[in-house]
Amino acid sequence: ARSPPPGLEGAQDWARDYAAANPSEAFELLFGRPSPETLPALVIPQLLSPEEVKQCFSAGSEVGSSIEPFATSSWLCAALRATPHDIGYSGEHVALYLHKGGCFQTKQPALCDKLLHSMRRQPGNWGDPALALQVRCIELHTYAVGGGLLEPGHRDNGSKLSMSVLLSDAATTGLEGGQIVTWSGGEPVVHELRRGDALLFHSGKAHNVATVTSGMRQSLVIELWVGPTNTKDRES
């Protein structure tokens, strides 16, 4: 048995219980396809160059400046109070919708095409390649110290494919912690990413982000779904 990063003990308990109660063979027999929990996540090394990482931040500045300035959020930690965001998941974790008004697609069309193409053209079982998928969301996530995604059984419900690209450089930001964790047979799979690396996974696969213990973690998260291209929040 492998121990998860600190703070994910509850998520591991959930993963073990789920694996015991949902044999992969039974899922495939019932639904006619493999369980997302049995399909491994894929690390795509250095998907983005340093220049392309800068373009992601540039898009964040563009979409952030196109709306009224955010009032100081007293419930946010001091490190995030000046960070543009559309949603706060905790006092140490916020996200900005880069797809808002089609901003990312319009401001960075070549980069957007590269990212979307990368999600649909990887080796392995990533669903029917003929199935049309559209952008549900493109988000810039920022985690301060103490931030993480620790919810047991967290999935990107409603989406088909998800990809997270690490934008932070540990060498310059002092980032420690914040690893993406998926689960295999109830045991943690800790993905140690470098700036520019991406993790692709089925949206129905449980995943977490370990608590950030030092520095700041920023990532670009894209989700694809069968709905129409979304240019608002996560649900429109």
Side-chain angles (χ1 to χ4, degrees):
R2 298 186 297 275
S3 297
L8 289 179
E9 293 82 5
Q12 181 168 45
D13 290 342
W14 176 91
R16 287 176 171 172
D17 290 344
Y18 182 89
N22 297 273
S24 58
E25 298 83 359
F27 186 101
E28 190 159 359
L29 183 65
L30 181 62
F31 294 100
R33 54 183 172 83
S35 165
E37 294 297 342
T38 66
L39 297 172
L42 176 69
V43 174
I44 309 173
Q46 295 299 282
L47 176 62
L48 296 189
S49 68
E51 181 58 35
E52 288 169 329
V53 168
K54 290 180 182 178
Q55 291 171 15
C56 294
F57 288 124
S58 175
S61 298
E62 292 275 0
V63 71
S65 63
S66 69
I67 58 178
E68 292 186 9
F70 289 95
T72 299
S73 301
S74 59
W75 64 280
L76 289 177
C77 70
L80 295 184
R81 287 179 189 164
T83 302
H85 61 280
D86 292 300
I87 186 169
Y89 291 99
S90 73
E92 299 79 27
H93 174 201
V94 298
L96 181 68
Y97 297 142
L98 300 187
H99 61 285
K100 191 168 44 188
C103 178
F104 190 81
Q105 298 93 316
T106 301
K107 299 295 184 181
Q108 301 292 345
L111 179 56
C112 186
D113 287 347
K114 175 181 177 176
L115 289 162
L116 300 183
H117 180 84
S118 296
M119 294 180 74
R120 299 305 308 272
R121 297 294 183 268
Q122 297 301 322
N125 186 345
W126 300 105
D128 181 359
L131 179 66
L133 297 179
Q134 285 71 235
V135 169
R136 179 189 189 180
C137 61
I138 304 175
E139 302 171 344
L140 177 61
H141 284 252
T142 303
Y143 298 79
V145 171
L149 179 55
L150 309 180
E151 174 193 357
H154 174 81
R155 298 182 173 106
D156 297 335
N157 293 321
S159 298
K160 289 292 187 181
L161 291 177
S162 299
M163 186 168 71
S164 178
V165 187
L166 184 64
L167 304 180
S168 298
D169 180 14
T172 57
T173 65
L175 174 62
E176 295 180 4
Q179 306 96 329
I180 300 183
V181 179
T182 55
W183 305 91
S184 177
E187 300 303 315
V189 181
V190 180
H191 303 278
E192 301 280 0
L193 303 182
R194 299 177 299 155
R195 181 183 62 173
D197 290 351
L199 186 73
L200 177 66
F201 53 94
H202 289 269
S203 302
K205 185 176 183 66
H207 57 281
N208 298 95
V209 176
T211 304
V212 173
T213 57
S214 177
M216 188 86 74
R217 180 187 190 274
Q218 292 187 286
S219 61
L220 183 78
V221 174
I222 303 177
E223 296 178 27
L224 303 182
W225 66 353
V226 296
T229 299
N230 182 22
T231 58
K232 294 182 181 179
D233 45 31
R234 288 184 54 81
E235 306 302 334
S236 300

